[in-house]
């Protein structure tokens, strides 16, 4: 009984002690172009390779009816945006879509997220917008090399973020014309890719890329299905360490009028975090939510 109470008190103290966000090491973090993703991931097991091929077949063929509906919605949205904006405004706007690659996205959610991103990227680029597609996860479970280094150094208390980040560029905003994402998105469907999610640092990364862009109008849309989670980090720093940092990052970006930040939650309420937000209760509604969000933020009305 005493030990249980002591451990709970220690966790509360850990949460309080970790109020200031920190990172134990960035030495093992990776930012990679999607075309080189295989270089940083372990070879697929036979079962995972089969699952990936099945997912890709579904992506290319079995979503035809869903894609038809989504493309019609996008076509209608394209007309609305073209009527409400000038060619100069569109050419002076960059849109970045940041996709959560947490383990809970595995299955239908990531499949439809990939298809939604492809459709959104296609109609935005045809309108003349610059478009960037990014993903975020971790390289390994249980903290990876960062945690092993922490242990070798004596496991100091409150180490800060304690995992190896993996940030992926599926399409750079430097690219022009139709997206031709094709097989670039296939690796997004890998079961072994989807692990933990450190949203705050992913947002900082995506925003930093936008801040370097010359376009006057910058929009960042986050697509996620839940709060940030990394067991290695939370175990050593307290349960609120990552969500508190995410709130801080969101507040900082929203206070800076250089970027319009918005979020789409998949069966997750994001209104307590993001000023501009939409929620879908089922992954199959994702494309409609994305087109609604893009119409709202590009035309300048509030998301409903």
């Amino acid at each position: 009984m005493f030990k249980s109470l002591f451990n709970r008190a220690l966790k509360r103290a850990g949460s309080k002690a970790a109020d200031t966000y920190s990172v134990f090491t960035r030495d093992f973090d990776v930012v990679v172009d999607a075309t080189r993703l295989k270089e940083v991931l372990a070879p697929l097991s036979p079962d995972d390779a089969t699952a990936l091929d099945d997912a890709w077949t579904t992506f290319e063929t079995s979503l035809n009816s869903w894609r038809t509906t989504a493309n019609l919605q996008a076509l209608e949205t394209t007309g609305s945006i073209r009527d409400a904006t000038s060619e100069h405004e569109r050419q002076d706007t960059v849109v970045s879509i940041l996709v959560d690659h947490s383990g809970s996205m595995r299955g239908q959610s990531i499949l439809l997220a990939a298809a939604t991103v492809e459709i959104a990227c296609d109609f935005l680029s045809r309108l003349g917008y610059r478009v960037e597609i990014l993903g975020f996860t971790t390289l390994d479970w249980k903290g990876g090399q960062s945690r092993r280094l922490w242990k070798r150094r004596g496991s100091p208390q409150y180490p800060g973020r304690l995992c190896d980040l993996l940030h992926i560029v599926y399409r750079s905003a430097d690219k022009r014309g139709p997206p031709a994402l094709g097989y670039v998105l296939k690796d997004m469907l890998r079961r072994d890719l989807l692990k933990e999610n450190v949203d705050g640092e992913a947002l900082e990364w995506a925003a930093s890329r936008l801040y370097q862009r010359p376009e006057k109008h910058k929009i960042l849309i986050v697509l996620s299905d839940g709060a940030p989670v990394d067991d290695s980090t939370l175990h050593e720093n307290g349960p609120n360490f990552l969500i508190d940092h995410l709130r801080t990052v969101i507040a900082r970006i929203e206070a800076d009028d250089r970027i319009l930040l918005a979020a789409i939650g998949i069966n997750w309420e994001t209104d307590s975090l993001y000023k501009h937000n939409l929620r879908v209760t089922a992954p199959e509604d994702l494309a409609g939510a994305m087109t609604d969000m893009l119409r709202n933020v590009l035309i300048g009305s509030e998301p409903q």
Side-chain angles (χ1 to χ4, degrees), residues 66 96-102 104-105 108-120 132-137 188 194 197 199 202-203 206 220-227 261-268 270 274 276-280 282-291 293-294:
W66 181 89
S96 178
I97 302 176
L98 178 65
V99 183
D100 174 6
H101 285 12
S102 59
S104 56
M105 287 283 288
Q108 187 186 35
S109 291
I110 197 64
L111 185 69
L112 293 175
T116 295
V117 162
E118 185 182 50
I119 291 166
E132 183 147 276
I133 307 299
L134 308 173
F136 67 100
T137 183
M188 190 185 288
L194 309 178
N197 54 308
D199 298 51
L203 267 182
L220 174 55
I221 298 177
V222 183
L223 200 163
S224 178
D225 74 337
L261 176 63
I264 298 176
I266 304 174
N267 205 23
W268 180 47
T270 56
Y274 296 87
H276 302 282
N277 67 89
L278 287 174
R279 175 176 179 257
V280 297
E284 55 265 29
D285 298 328
L286 195 50
M290 179 64 77
T291 52
M293 176 65 80
L294 287 169

Side-chain angles (χ1 to χ4, degrees), residues 207-238:
S208 71
R209 293 176 61 91
L210 286 178
Y211 287 135
Q212 297 174 42
R213 299 290 311 170
E215 290 82 8
K216 179 179 179 181
H217 306 289
K218 301 173 175 65
I219 296 168
L220 174 55
I221 298 177
V222 183
L223 200 163
S224 178
D225 74 337
V229 174
D230 174 68
D231 288 343
S232 174
T233 297
L234 298 182
H235 188 269
E236 308 305 334
N237 297 278

